[in-house]
Amino acid sequence: MAKKALITGITGQDGSYLAELLLEKDYEVYGMVRRSSTETRFRIEHLGDRIHFVEADLLDPASMVKALDQVQPDEIYNLAAQSFVPTSWSQPVLTGEFTALGVVRLLEAVRQVAPEARFYQASSSEMFGKVREVPQNENTPFHPRSPYAAAKAYGHHITVNYRESYGVFGVSGILFNHESPRRGKEFVTRKITDGVARIKLGLADELLLGNLESQRDWGFAGDYVRAMYLMLQQDTPDDYVVATGETHSVRQFLEVAFDHVGLKWQDHVKQDPRFLRPAEVDQLIGDSSKARRVLGWEPTVNFEQLVVMMVDNDLALLAR
């Protein structure tokens, strides 16, 4: 019998890579999707009819009970969230509903109708926020610096609570920033690579950005979904930091991206105060030694390879 996996947020960057990985491993893959008047499935179109869709919503507990009862999944990957930090400042309540309370609604549904299922919660390095130590590991205290990060911290702790209180096989992956050609254009990395491609092709002349000194630990989304899968294959549920252990600034990202197309970033990039956060997270860098030791996980794509992959993809998209 093929294992069944249910992915919330299947139409997003991580959901699409995870669906590919699980299909390669002969899973039956189910995607939980919201009823929507706009079609947003472009990231998984290439998978054709190999994904089964079930309609449910993180804001509607009954719909999730029904979906889990219908699918009876072996594994559940909760990747759905309002996941863009700047939006969480303008829509803090909605972010809390999806990104925090959505998790407990889903866990309640698991407890009621799929108690044997293994549950993965997408936690975030943003929970560390105003960091207490560098690098950050599983024991580093959280100090969230945005409504998104605070909501993610709730989702993280509630997953631990359901594991310890009800025996749910619940794990959290504390994933540091992970990017890919499938990243949404609202994120700074994709905004840069799309901008570089446009400038190179003569479709634009300048790129407006916020804080260029902000530092992140950037990895490749395709590598990070493999860690999610490995967490649910262990004998005991636990939480893991997933990161490259290297930090780079937005400025360095710009340098690699513009260099790749033979341009100087200083000629095209302008700073715009509109893109500065109310509270900045300065240096996120992850210590993933536990994931490497216990899961046998290693990243395969380095920083330069990731930037070049994204720029080349955007050049190809625009050239079409």
Side-chain angles (χ1 to χ4, degrees):
M1 282 279 287
K3 273 191 181 176
K4 289 193 276 192
L6 175 68
I7 304 171
T8 75
I10 195 166
T11 59
Q13 167 186 260
D14 293 8
S16 67
Y17 282 109
L18 180 62
E20 284 175 356
L21 177 75
L22 295 175
L23 287 169
E24 278 170 25
K25 296 184 182 297
D26 296 321
Y27 276 65
E28 269 183 53
V29 176
Y30 292 79
M32 192 180 105
V33 289
R34 282 191 293 162
R35 173 79 189 86
S36 168
S37 53
T38 52
E39 195 54 72
T40 55
R41 298 183 188 177
F42 62 92
R43 290 186 183 92
I44 47 176
E45 274 172 351
H46 65 289
L47 300 175
D49 54 6
R50 298 168 68 199
I51 295 170
H52 312 280
F53 292 104
V54 285
E55 273 194 12
D57 195 309
L58 287 178
L59 302 188
D60 181 1
S63 72
M64 287 189 282
V65 168
K66 191 177 165 194
L68 291 184
D69 195 36
Q70 179 189 332
V71 176
Q72 287 297 320
D74 299 288
E75 296 174 4
I76 298 158
Y77 295 87
N78 183 35
L79 311 184
Q82 190 302 98
S83 61
F84 188 46
V85 175
T87 299
S88 78
W89 293 104
S90 56
Q91 300 185 18
V93 176
L94 184 73
T95 300
E97 287 288 354
F98 275 115
T99 308
L101 295 178
V103 184
V104 75
R105 293 188 193 104
L106 185 50
L107 281 166
E108 268 300 291
V110 170
R111 195 164 74 88
Q112 288 171 42
V113 296
E116 299 306 307
R118 295 185 166 204
F119 179 86
Y120 172 85
Q121 168 59 15
S123 286
S124 166
S125 60
E126 287 279 339
M127 301 185 304
F128 295 121
K130 193 175 175 68
V131 298
R132 310 286 181 89
E133 60 185 6
V134 179
Q136 296 90 46
N137 64 29
E138 292 80 5
N139 299 314
T140 303
F142 298 149
H143 187 144
R145 295 269 278 175
S146 67
Y148 166 77
K152 276 291 184 189
Y154 176 90
H156 179 87
H157 287 306
I158 205 71
T159 301
V160 173
N161 271 269
Y162 272 66
R163 177 168 77 214
E164 294 177 352
S165 307
Y166 300 121
V168 168
F169 191 109
V171 308
S172 287
I174 306 172
L175 270 55
F176 279 66
N177 293 59
H178 46 288
E179 317 298 317
S180 76
R182 299 178 196 171
R183 192 55 140 156
K185 288 183 188 173
E186 67 273 24
F187 291 88
V188 68
T189 50
R190 182 72 194 289
K191 186 177 174 183
I192 290 170
T193 61
D194 176 68
V196 166
R198 285 177 188 280
I199 290 165
K200 178 64 180 174
L201 295 172
L203 301 172
D205 190 48
E206 65 176 20
L207 178 59
L208 302 176
L209 295 173
N211 182 6
L212 304 187
E213 306 316 320
S214 182
Q215 297 186 344
R216 294 290 182 272
D217 182 331
W218 277 300
F220 172 52
D223 284 339
Y224 285 39
V225 299
R226 199 170 69 254
M228 300 175 185
Y229 164 78
L230 289 168
M231 287 176 214
L232 290 194
Q233 312 315 310
Q234 304 307 304
D235 293 334
T236 48
D238 205 349
D239 306 324
Y240 299 88
V241 162
V242 180
T244 69
E246 287 182 19
T247 185
H248 297 276
S249 65
V250 173
R251 187 184 296 274
Q252 286 172 293
F253 199 104
L254 283 170
E255 281 169 4
V256 176
F258 275 94
D259 275 356
H260 180 58
V261 298
L263 295 172
K264 280 195 164 59
W265 70 268
Q266 294 91 335
D267 297 338
H268 302 280
V269 175
K270 291 193 171 67
Q271 277 191 282
D272 187 328
R274 285 179 306 162
F275 299 120
L276 296 173
R277 291 184 183 186
E280 185 54 80
V281 174
D282 299 312
Q283 190 183 29
L284 290 175
I285 175 168
D287 171 8
S288 59
S289 49
K290 180 177 164 185
R292 294 172 196 240
R293 185 179 71 250
V294 178
L295 307 177
W297 177 83
E298 289 277 342
T300 64
V301 176
N302 71 26
F303 176 69
E304 284 78 11
Q305 290 168 324
L306 175 65
V307 179
V308 166
M309 175 201 302
M310 291 176 67
V311 171
D312 284 346
N313 183 75
D314 279 327
L315 282 168
L317 279 177
L318 289 166
R320 278 184 217 148

